[in-house]
Amino acid sequence: MTAMRIAIIGGSGVYEQSFLEDDKKIKVETRFGPVAIKQGTYRDRTVFFMARHGGGHTVPPHLINYRANIAALKKLKVDAVIATAAVGSLRRELTPESRVIIDQFIDFTKQRPLTFYEGEEGFVVHTDFSEPYCPEIRSVILRAGRDLGQTMIDGGCYICTEGPRFETPAEIKMFKSWGVDVVGMTNIPEATLAREAGLCYATIALPTNYAAGVSSEPLTQDEVLAAMDKDKPELERLIAASIARLKTGTSCRCREAGNKYPKEQTS
Ligand code: HPA
């Protein structure tokens, strides 16, 4: 049996995973450009790590090459993706210690390349998003976190804004009236491309601050990064424990969603 292949996409403040063994740097060429990745192992699984904003946090949310990132993971024949995302919390009870295993999103982005299917294939692809994140990975992360005694929140609605600016209190008030729980700038189109490519994908949303107007304090990027830094060891424990529990042969429908993804781009 071939080892399960799992990818971690690290968001703000997550630039490595210290539990990776025998890790080396690799570069994957895709039709959207090259992607720098670390490849290692953990508990008999092949694990890839990608820093979404680049190693030194140099790429802003709206300029991340999301298509290259997901195309690279597809080429590496990844089975499952665990992503982290720093978020602003719209609800007082979603405190900085909590891990929101989001189950819905609203796409409020404006100008990012958003699909693998631009019509060049000679057909149109409308992908189902009735269940936006892989239910099996979500449940593995939730169970792993609960066993570690972490504050796990089962479900939440993430809104993805274009950034790179933070939101206004008026925007946050409107999002709250729409049922949004957390706000970030990077989950879309990452989650939607992963589904188009047929990858199982889930996100651990990490509240680093209360969103604009929920708190009266001004927001800073330093505050976001400081909160992520403080949480790093516990977050790594959660990711490692989740990876150890993931199994192939899942019964979710994520893989079928990728049956139109061009075969020649998968090796
Ligand atoms: N807004 C958008 N993105 C974020 C925030 C926020 O308040 N905090 C961390 N990422």
Side-chain angles (χ1 to χ4, degrees), residues 12 85-89 161 165-167 172 183-185 206 208-212 219 221 224:
S12 295
V87 292
S89 166
T161 58
R165 67 167 176 86
F166 287 116
E167 302 71 36
I172 293 295
V183 57
M185 302 176 193
L206 302 149
T208 52
N209 57 279
Y210 289 109
L219 299 182
Q221 173 70 356
V224 170

